[in-house]
Amino acid sequence: MRLSRKHRRSGLAIGLTPLIDVVFILLLFFMLASSLADWRVLEIVMPEPVVSPPAQTASRSDIAVIAVAADGQLQLDGAPIAADALGTRLSTRAAANPALKVYVRPVEAAPMQAVVSALEAAGAAGAASVEVRAR
């Protein structure tokens, strides 16, 4: 039993239309099933203000307080200071007093990047301890 050329050719050919349909359906499935980016705002709630003063055993020269305002401006012990000058000033104080403690006190609406920059500057300056405290 011999098949004619027409039947042999049609039996060996693979149609591309069903293959393209399957690839398209798989593409749609994976696009809809996966989440490409899940962007969410990270809310950070600052603790309530604590009225207790720093330990009485430490002298005022042992403590540096960095205040971070809502607009990102910094203050070192109540005096405004530029972000790039903060590290130099703290390094000078840490060299004079190795027991320097640095408290970073952000307000509730302070930008997180300004708080992190202040923490990094205090850590790089060589302070004995660095803490974040609420106002």
Side-chain angles (χ1 to χ4, degrees):
M1 177 167 161
R2 287 190 100 181
L3 296 174
S4 66
R5 270 194 164 154
K6 183 178 177 184
H7 286 97
R8 278 190 282 172
R9 183 174 281 187
S10 68
L12 297 176
I14 298 174
L16 290 179
T17 304
L19 180 65
I20 292 172
D21 289 344
V22 169
V23 170
F24 182 69
I25 289 171
L26 286 173
L27 177 67
L28 282 176
F29 172 76
F30 285 114
M31 284 176 57
L32 296 174
S34 66
S35 62
L36 297 177
D38 191 14
W39 296 96
R40 285 183 247 151
V41 175
L42 178 63
E43 296 232 3
I44 298 177
V45 179
M46 297 301 293
E48 292 297 320
V50 178
V51 186
S52 64
Q56 298 296 328
T57 58
S59 67
R60 188 65 186 154
S61 64
D62 289 349
I63 299 171
V65 179
I66 302 170
V68 183
D71 59 355
Q73 297 295 321
L74 301 175
Q75 291 184 351
L76 179 62
D77 294 330
I81 188 167
D84 53 351
L86 180 64
T88 307
R89 181 84 56 88
L90 288 175
S91 295
T92 305
R93 286 184 62 180
N97 186 358
L100 180 68
K101 296 178 182 179
V102 178
Y103 297 135
V104 179
R105 294 190 175 186
V107 297
E108 184 175 339
M112 186 53 73
Q113 184 59 50
V115 176
V116 171
S117 297
L119 289 170
E120 287 177 345
S129 70
V130 180
E131 297 179 20
V132 177
R133 292 201 172 182
R135 286 184 176 240

